[in-house]
Structure formats: C-alpha cells, structure tokens
Amino acid sequence: MAHEPMLSPDDVDRIHRWHEQAANGIRDETVRTFSYLGHKIVVPPRVMPISGTSSLLGEAVLEEVREDDRVLDMGTGSGVNAILAASKSHEVVAVDISPHALEAARDNAARNGVGDRVTVLHSDVFSAVEGRFDLIVFDPPFRWFAPRDLFEAAITDEDYRALRAFFAGARAHLTPRGRMLVFFGTSGDLPYLKKLAAEAGFTSEVLGRQELTRDGWQVEYLLIRPKVGGP
C-alpha cells in the first residue's frame, strides 16, 4: 500500500530534503561511546546513535517501568531503552531487524549488567514476538521512504509498513494493564500515526515534547502514549 502523506506538499518536500541531510550526517564508520542516563552505551557503525532528543523517551521509560512489568522494546537499535527498562524490570524482550543492532544490543546489555534480564530477538515487528506485555516501547522510523540499506531502515519505513503492522498487532500483545510509549516527530507524518492509532482503537495522549530548529525548520518531537478507549 503506497503511503499518501497527510501533510502539505511543502512539508513533504522539506522532509525529503531534510532526510537526505540527516541520513548522511549520522552515517559514521567509527565506534561511538555514550554516557547516557547512568549507562555506558557503545554504538558500532551501521547502528543508530543516541541523539539529543533520545532522553525524552529514555527518561519516560525509567519513570514508567515497574519491577513486575514484562517489557517489549520494539526496534531496539543499540538496546538503550531495553537496558533502561531492565534496570527496573526483570523481563525485557528487545527486537530489531538489523543483525548489527541485535549484536550491539546484546553487548550493551551485558556491558551494563542486565544481560540476564534482556532477551534479544530478530523480529520484523511482532513476527517473532510471543506473549503479552505490560509495557511496549517503540521508537519507530519517522519517514515513509524506501530505505537504501539496513542502517537507513532505522530512520525510514517504506510506506509505513512496520508502523501499520505495529498498530494492527499491538492490542494482541498487551496485558489488561498494558501501556505503550511511542516516540515520533513532525519530521515524519504525525497525522498519519495518529490516524493509525485511532483506527486501532487507541487515543493518542502526548506526555512530553521537545522542539528543535534544524536547517531553519522547527521540528517537534513527541512522547506519545496510545491508550485503549477514551481519553
């Protein structure tokens, strides 16, 4: 299904231009090490680095996770949100489609002393995920273009195939007390995300936001809690 953006043509053109600049800017063949919310995260080449807006989601994960929660980190990347969750919970499942990300997530979980709490799986959205979760964390690709390689698949999801699969399958993987935290921004098709959530029976509560100006363009990053039923 080809994605029809719910944005103005000017915004679509701007997102295309910004995407090219962003994709080139974050490519790096060096190993990078981050000190992040009390943890050491090593990010090898071909894995998405931690950004200046990552803490909006990371801090929410630390506040949200309960000791008895079973947590799913969808699209784990370097494993950072799975590690934060495992600092509170004893059972975390971290999934990604990139073998480079999966290796980084395993190494980082062990490095931070939570390797026994984090199960890392190769999964295309929910394809290899079993059971239900008390908390699902998702930092999806913002754009809808075709990725040119596995690295770029961390920031762009062709026609929002993965995003559609996520909202179509999320309810079947939530416990009765299940909650979700989703990170998204206006450098993607935010109205479409809200539409998908509504069609799946979720309202979209904004828990936090951060604004940045990039290349003269005001970009807003949002922490969203999709909730079943009414507000």
Side-chain angles (χ1 to χ4, degrees):
M1 183 194 308
H3 175 65
E4 296 292 336
M6 298 176 66
L7 302 167
S8 72
D10 285 346
D11 282 343
V12 170
D13 288 344
R14 185 162 41 240
I15 289 171
H16 273 279
R17 292 196 305 270
W18 191 83
H19 172 75
E20 291 300 322
Q21 296 169 0
N24 292 331
I26 59 179
R27 289 183 185 276
D28 195 332
E29 292 304 314
T30 62
V31 176
R32 284 167 283 187
T33 301
F34 298 84
S35 179
Y36 178 72
L37 297 178
H39 298 272
K40 180 180 179 181
I41 306 296
V42 176
V43 181
R46 294 178 287 184
V47 177
M48 189 72 177
I50 295 172
S51 73
T53 60
S54 296
S55 61
L56 188 62
L57 177 58
E59 290 173 354
V61 170
L62 287 174
E63 291 177 4
E64 181 74 27
V65 176
R66 307 167 185 168
E67 185 177 353
D68 58 346
D69 277 342
R70 185 174 190 238
V71 182
L72 173 64
D73 182 23
M74 179 70 66
T76 193
S78 63
V80 59
N81 289 310
I83 291 163
L84 294 176
S87 70
K88 300 285 189 70
S89 167
H90 292 274
E91 187 176 3
V92 179
V93 177
V95 304
D96 208 293
I97 60 170
S98 165
H100 310 296
L102 297 174
E103 182 178 1
R106 291 190 186 98
D107 289 347
N108 280 319
R111 181 176 292 111
N112 286 277
V114 294
D116 60 333
R117 299 184 176 196
V118 179
T119 301
V120 180
L121 299 174
H122 181 277
S123 185
D124 185 356
V125 194
F126 291 109
S127 65
V129 173
E130 297 182 353
R132 294 176 180 266
F133 297 85
D134 303 298
L135 178 65
I136 299 176
V137 179
F138 192 24
D139 183 359
F142 285 9
R143 266 78 74 187
W144 61 91
F145 323 137
R148 288 166 287 202
D149 53 33
L150 269 176
F151 176 84
E152 203 165 289
I155 57 174
T156 185
D157 167 23
E158 186 173 8
D159 294 320
Y160 285 133
R161 182 198 59 82
L163 194 64
R164 287 187 279 111
F166 175 79
F167 279 108
R171 291 185 72 165
H173 290 278
L174 287 170
T175 65
R177 73 174 192 182
R179 300 97 64 205
M180 296 198 293
L181 294 173
V182 177
F183 186 66
F184 208 73
T186 56
S187 59
D189 194 343
L190 181 60
Y192 185 68
L193 180 145
K194 292 181 177 180
K195 177 176 180 286
L196 288 177
E199 289 175 348
F202 296 102
T203 58
S204 296
E205 177 188 5
V206 176
L207 299 181
R209 64 184 75 225
Q210 182 176 350
E211 292 185 354
L212 292 177
T213 300
R214 292 188 170 176
D215 302 319
W217 180 29
Q218 191 83 1
V219 182
E220 188 173 40
Y221 297 88
L222 302 175
L223 176 63
I224 300 169
R225 185 196 300 280
K227 297 171 62 178
V228 177

